Amino acid sequence: KAGVTQTPRYLIKTRGQQVTLSCSPISGHRSVSWYQQTPGQGLQFLFEYFSETQRNKGNFPGRFSGRQFSNSRSEMNVSTLELGDSALYLCASSLVGGDYGYTFGSGTRLTVV
Amino acid sequence: AQRVTQPEKLLSVFKGAPVELKCNYSYSGSPELFWYVQYSRQRLQLLLRHISRESIKGFTADLNKGETSFHLKKPFAQEEDSAMYYCALKYTDKLIFGTGTRLQVFP
């Protein structure tokens, strides 16, 4: 059974650019969540999608957005990149409600220069 | 507000010693708590769920609602247990993570 797949693994972008990250959940998982991991702030929730609907959003500026497709694959987009957006972005998928826990991908390491 | 606190950034023990990684939470409802582990250069992995009351890799964790704690314990640490451990509270379909504790097990 394939795990959660995130692409690309690494990205280097310049300030002001925009970036799109992709996440393919485990087959059958309909919930996809995104987290930002940084040394200073730790793991912080960005947003959660279920059946193409955003159900929950964390405390991040509007430059951070996402979407989910009918096959449960999800993308997140960050516009007008800032140096502080450099982080590991993690995607997690789960069955409905996450009662059995969330399975995380390996992440996309974004570096903004 | 919902919050998870892991008071220790680093815990160092020798192989064979008991381990207790502390986790306290702040939540007025009935909590759903997890422990996740991140080994070096590996993805974040689910270690334990409090509702399953299981033991994984010799680790156990008991929910203490009176003390609002969910400490992770192992009676005899192994070198391969060295990793970053995160306690997490599930709240409205999202996880609120603690800041993590790095466990170092020396031979």
Side-chain angles (χ1 to χ4, degrees):
Chain A
K1 191 174 183 180
V4 178
T5 304
Q6 292 188 247
T7 56
R9 290 295 306 275
Y10 302 93
L11 269 177
I12 300 177
K13 290 287 188 178
T14 305
R15 273 181 301 174
Q17 288 186 311
Q18 74 155 14
V19 67
T20 299
L21 313 181
S22 180
C23 172
S24 294
I26 289 174
S27 178
H29 284 193
R30 296 167 63 190
S31 170
V32 175
S33 305
W34 289 88
Y35 292 81
Q36 182 194 65
Q37 186 176 25
T38 60
Q41 300 298 318
L43 283 150
Q44 291 188 291
F45 172 77
L46 280 156
F47 25 65
E48 189 254 354
Y49 287 88
F50 179 79
S51 292
E52 303 178 65
T53 300
Q54 186 182 90
R55 297 196 301 186
N56 223 330
K57 191 176 193 308
N59 190 25
F60 279 83
R63 299 184 297 106
F64 291 81
S65 63
R67 59 178 175 169
Q68 187 180 34
F69 302 96
S70 58
N71 62 357
S72 294
R73 191 178 69 86
S74 178
E75 290 181 346
M76 68 163 280
N77 184 76
V78 188
S79 63
T80 320
L81 284 165
E82 300 177 0
L83 295 179
D85 298 333
S86 295
L88 180 66
Y89 290 89
L90 297 173
C91 169
S93 76
S94 67
L95 293 168
V96 176
D99 290 343
Y100 298 95
Y102 297 79
T103 304
F104 282 82
S106 297
T108 294
R109 172 77 60 188
L110 172 64
T111 302
V112 182
V113 298
Chain B
Q2 299 72 36
R3 188 171 60 247
V4 175
T5 303
Q6 293 180 254
E8 301 142 328
K9 283 190 174 182
L10 174 65
L11 182 63
S12 298
V13 301
F14 286 100
K15 178 182 172 181
V19 169
E20 183 178 51
L21 300 168
K22 296 188 187 308
C23 171
N24 288 90
Y25 66 91
S26 174
Y27 179 54
S28 57
S30 186
E32 293 182 61
L33 291 154
F34 303 85
W35 276 99
Y36 279 84
V37 60
Q38 193 168 32
Y39 300 101
S40 179
R41 299 181 185 278
Q42 293 188 28
R43 64 183 65 192
L44 203 58
Q45 302 172 35
L46 177 63
L47 183 62
L48 285 176
R49 299 173 291 145
H50 93 271
I51 57 174
S52 61
R53 301 183 65 80
E54 59 201 341
S55 173
I56 303 294
K57 299 184 180 182
F59 284 98
T60 59
D62 290 318
L63 175 62
N64 185 324
K65 289 187 178 181
E67 296 182 358
T68 60
S69 69
F70 187 56
H71 303 329
L72 184 67
K73 300 177 184 179
K74 185 169 184 177
F76 307 104
Q78 303 299 314
E79 290 179 67
E80 55 266 29
D81 295 329
S82 295
M84 196 73 182
Y85 291 80
Y86 294 94
C87 182
L89 169 70
K90 179 172 169 286
Y91 174 69
T92 61
D93 296 320
K94 68 181 178 187
L95 292 175
I96 298 171
F97 285 91
T99 50
T101 298
R102 180 167 300 282
L103 175 64
Q104 286 183 332
V105 182
F106 294 109

